[in-house]
Amino acid sequence: MALFHLLPLAVALLSVPYVEGQVPGFGKCPTVQVQEDFDLSQYLGLWHEIERFPAVFEAGKCITANYTLKSDGHVRVENGENVNGQEKIAVGDAYIPDPKESAKLAVRFYDAAPYGAYWVLKTDYKTYTLIWSCGDLLDFGNVQFAWILAREREVDPAVMDDLHKLATGYGIDVSHFSKTDQTGCVN
């Protein structure tokens, strides 16, 4: 009987790679605070991925994200990675749905896809950014993404520790973070 009650959860979790991400959790998404007074113009430019939660759409090394403003006020998102010696680029679109919450962006990489959350929890614009995304699955689960990006390929360990503590304080399980290989990169 208990197995029967877990069937909806199993179905939802099996669909996770196609919906939101790879890190499932029980219950609703944790409550977090995003960056206050977020300034998109300072955020634009090239970032290097330092750590990430597992994601089916990222498999390589030397992962970057480059954000540029488009004429319609949206942001062109260009994610690059090296997969087995081949450069792969994914181009997406992001925007700020509510100017009162400017650190809560929405992003997508396919025109037919719905926009997903891209929330900037903390950034100093010049060194690091902590990004988080969470989607509720019915009333019993959630799926999370998280990234730590930096302007350089390495970040001071004390900064990383502070970002991990911040995320942990919100109930985000930082044990899911894995280090991105940024060695031997040309760009």
Side-chain angles (χ1 to χ4, degrees):
M1 186 67 132
L3 217 46
F4 178 73
H5 292 295
L6 292 177
L7 185 59
L9 177 61
V11 169
L13 292 179
L14 287 174
S15 67
V16 164
Y18 306 107
V19 180
E20 279 289 326
Q22 298 267 157
V23 178
F26 290 104
K28 292 200 170 284
C29 292
T31 301
V32 301
Q33 296 292 317
V34 295
Q35 177 90 14
E36 288 188 31
D37 301 319
F38 178 73
D39 183 350
L40 180 62
S41 65
Q42 289 188 63
Y43 196 77
L44 299 173
L46 183 65
W47 294 91
H48 303 277
E49 184 181 272
I50 305 302
E51 289 186 349
R52 70 171 180 260
F53 278 17
V56 295
F57 49 83
E58 290 185 52
K61 61 182 265 176
C62 304
I63 297 174
T64 60
N66 194 16
Y67 306 115
T68 54
L69 194 60
K70 299 182 347 183
S71 61
D72 64 0
H74 282 220
V75 175
R76 182 178 196 270
V77 180
E78 183 176 306
N79 289 347
E81 67 179 324
N82 183 307
V83 180
N84 299 321
Q86 299 291 316
E87 274 304 304
K88 305 240 182 216
I89 302 290
V91 177
D93 177 75
Y95 74 105
I96 299 170
D98 182 355
K100 293 177 195 152
E101 296 184 294
S102 57
K104 292 184 177 181
L105 288 86
V107 65
R108 72 176 179 189
F109 284 88
Y110 303 100
D111 288 340
Y115 282 88
Y118 178 108
W119 291 7
V120 179
L121 300 187
K122 187 171 183 182
T123 187
D124 72 350
Y125 304 102
K126 295 176 252 164
T127 311
Y128 65 84
T129 185
L130 172 60
I131 305 146
W132 184 69
S133 176
C134 188
D136 288 320
L137 297 172
L138 304 176
D139 286 332
F140 54 81
N142 67 71
V143 191
Q144 299 180 40
F145 284 126
W147 296 268
I148 295 175
L149 308 180
R151 295 296 188 179
E152 301 295 327
R153 294 189 188 282
E154 294 182 21
V155 175
D156 183 322
V159 170
M160 293 298 290
D161 188 48
D162 287 345
L163 294 175
H164 285 178
K165 284 178 184 173
L166 176 70
T168 299
Y170 289 139
I172 299 169
D173 184 354
V174 298
S175 71
H176 294 294
F177 272 122
S178 63
K179 187 166 175 57
T180 301
D181 184 356
Q182 287 288 352
T183 61
C185 305
V186 293
N187 55 5

